[in-house]
Amino acid sequence: MLPHDFHPVLQRWWEDRFAEIQDGARHVLAPTEAQLEGWQAIRKGENTLIAAPTGSGKTLAAFLTLIDDLLREGLANGGLPDEVRAIYVSPLKALSADIHKNLAEPRREIRRLGEEMGYAPVRITAAVRSGDTPQRERAAMLRTPPHILVTTPESLYLLLTAEKSREMLKTARVVIVDEIHAVLESRRGAHLALTLERLEHACGQTNAPAGPREGGRSRRLQRIGLSATQKPIEEVARFLVGERPDTQCTIVNRGHKRVIDLAIEVPGSPLEAVMATEVWQEIYNRLIELIETHRTTLIMVNTRRLAERMAHHLTEKLGAEHVAAHHGSLSKE
């Protein structure tokens, strides 16, 4: 169950989305410790760094309080103005596109559930701005800004450079920096740190009202960072919020607890440079057994040709909706 300070619509969404049947009974998954502690800090308006392993729900920890705030504001005011409220920054374009896709379904489900429960519909919008974004979408974004802007460090820098797009960003209340550990020690990291300070400066110039968790005080951009396990984690927090003595960052560090089930298997037939069809079939059959007993399976290979070949054979057995190939030669589509 969600904490009781979330809106009833989100409570219902969580119960529907994270329910599973065990021994014939319906059970709702509980939030992870990273999520519970993250929500508590974010609710208070604190700059927050969440460090936890992959699969612990860091992204939902960052977004759910934001969606809750937008839903409450929209219900109270008969809708939301077309302005950017949150900026999500990912170091990878592919991750940005994935986050945007994963946000779309919950937004639709939450709106549908709200209507079923008798609430007025609240439209919460999101859009991606990266180097792959077509010009017509960039122009449309300036005319009608999304509530959640998903972007990359370099695209955020360019948005801050142009006057019209910088004006669009001024209403942001929250910036979420995902995979922050991936850029920390590189020139991209130094560039992103400067960009965050420029964004803070731009948002401080707005005349927009303070958010519901800001109590009418002078508005500052809330920074939320998501990281894998890092040591010392305090250095990552300093990177996120900067070096100003008046700026604090709450650290939610759940990165040290991880249950790992590791096994090494050796095929019954020897692996050679050129293998017979029967040997490949043996490998495919074992892969299918593993795939069917797990929710998600990632298979690493050495070449583009092998990636496509393996995807083709697995698709024949499992169906196209369950298999996807990825390699560096793939187009954006």
Side-chain angles (χ1 to χ4, degrees):
M1 295 288 290
L2 280 184
H4 292 296
D5 56 354
F6 279 94
H7 193 277
V9 172
L10 287 183
Q11 299 270 0
R12 169 81 177 276
W13 174 79
W14 183 279
E15 292 173 13
D16 289 352
R17 185 70 178 267
F18 297 103
E20 58 182 25
I21 304 300
Q22 294 179 352
D23 300 325
R26 184 176 183 272
H27 297 273
V28 178
L29 297 179
T32 64
E33 292 180 342
Q35 290 172 332
L36 290 172
E37 292 184 35
W39 289 331
Q40 184 178 13
I42 294 168
R43 277 272 191 236
K44 296 176 183 177
E46 299 171 353
N47 296 319
T48 306
L49 174 63
I50 303 174
T54 300
S56 53
K58 295 191 296 292
T59 305
L60 194 56
F63 273 116
L64 204 59
T65 300
L66 166 67
I67 293 175
D68 186 72
D69 283 348
L70 291 172
L71 176 63
R72 291 176 185 272
E73 181 184 349
L75 291 172
N77 300 326
L80 293 166
D82 293 325
E83 59 184 32
V84 173
R85 294 299 180 79
I87 301 169
Y88 170 89
V89 185
S90 162
L92 300 173
K93 286 190 292 185
L95 183 57
S96 294
D98 193 45
I99 287 294
H100 180 246
K101 179 181 176 182
N102 291 339
L103 271 176
E105 187 176 353
R107 286 185 290 119
R108 285 194 298 267
E109 292 172 349
I110 289 167
R111 182 173 180 175
R112 176 182 57 80
L113 285 173
E115 293 179 6
E116 289 179 4
M117 296 171 68
Y119 294 98
V122 176
R123 183 168 176 265
I124 301 173
T125 60
V128 177
R129 173 61 162 86
S130 70
D132 292 333
T133 305
Q135 184 58 42
R136 64 180 182 279
E137 293 183 17
R138 300 183 188 190
M141 199 178 300
L142 293 175
R143 292 192 301 269
T144 309
H147 301 122
I148 303 172
L149 177 64
V150 180
T151 188
T152 61
E154 290 74 21
S155 290
L156 179 59
Y157 167 80
L158 293 174
L159 287 169
L160 285 164
T161 301
E163 183 177 355
K164 288 184 178 180
S165 53
R166 184 170 62 248
E167 191 70 24
M168 176 184 71
L169 300 178
K170 284 186 176 183
T171 53
R173 297 173 181 172
V174 179
V175 58
I176 301 169
V177 184
D178 202 355
E179 301 288 335
I180 192 171
H181 59 279
V183 299
L184 191 62
E185 296 179 322
S186 67
R187 284 180 289 182
R188 288 187 79 197
H191 193 266
L192 176 58
L194 178 60
T195 298
L196 290 175
E197 293 303 317
R198 293 181 65 202
L199 178 63
E200 178 90 42
H201 177 72
C203 292
Q205 295 178 330
T206 183
N207 294 320
R213 287 181 274 112
E214 292 164 336
R217 57 184 166 77
S218 59
R219 195 170 69 84
R220 294 193 68 173
L221 191 68
Q222 183 182 20
R223 304 188 191 188
I224 301 172
L226 308 177
S227 174
T229 305
Q230 297 287 292
K231 290 184 180 181
I233 194 65
E234 292 76 16
E235 288 293 327
V236 185
R238 274 194 288 272
F239 174 86
L240 175 66
V241 301
E243 296 288 347
R244 292 184 301 277
D246 62 331
T247 302
Q248 303 297 319
C249 182
T250 298
I251 299 174
V252 177
N253 189 4
R254 291 294 172 183
H256 60 286
K257 294 182 180 179
R258 185 69 170 172
V259 177
I260 297 177
D261 179 9
L262 177 65
I264 298 176
E265 291 195 21
V266 179
S269 302
L271 300 180
E272 300 174 349
V274 179
M275 295 194 299
T277 303
E278 293 77 10
V279 179
W280 273 114
Q281 195 59 50
E282 177 186 332
I283 293 173
Y284 289 135
N285 289 340
R286 180 55 183 148
L287 286 174
I288 290 170
E289 288 178 5
L290 293 169
I291 291 167
E292 290 180 338
T293 54
H294 294 82
R295 294 183 61 181
T296 304
T297 304
L298 180 63
I299 301 173
M300 310 296 292
V301 298
N302 290 333
T303 64
R304 167 187 171 177
R305 180 181 179 183
L306 186 53
E308 294 178 342
R309 177 181 175 183
M310 185 161 286
H312 172 72
H313 284 282
L314 293 176
T315 296
E316 288 184 333
K317 300 289 187 180
L318 300 169
E321 69 274 17
H322 297 303
V323 183
H326 177 74
H327 51 74
S329 301
L330 282 176
S331 67
K332 174 176 70 72
E333 290 77 15

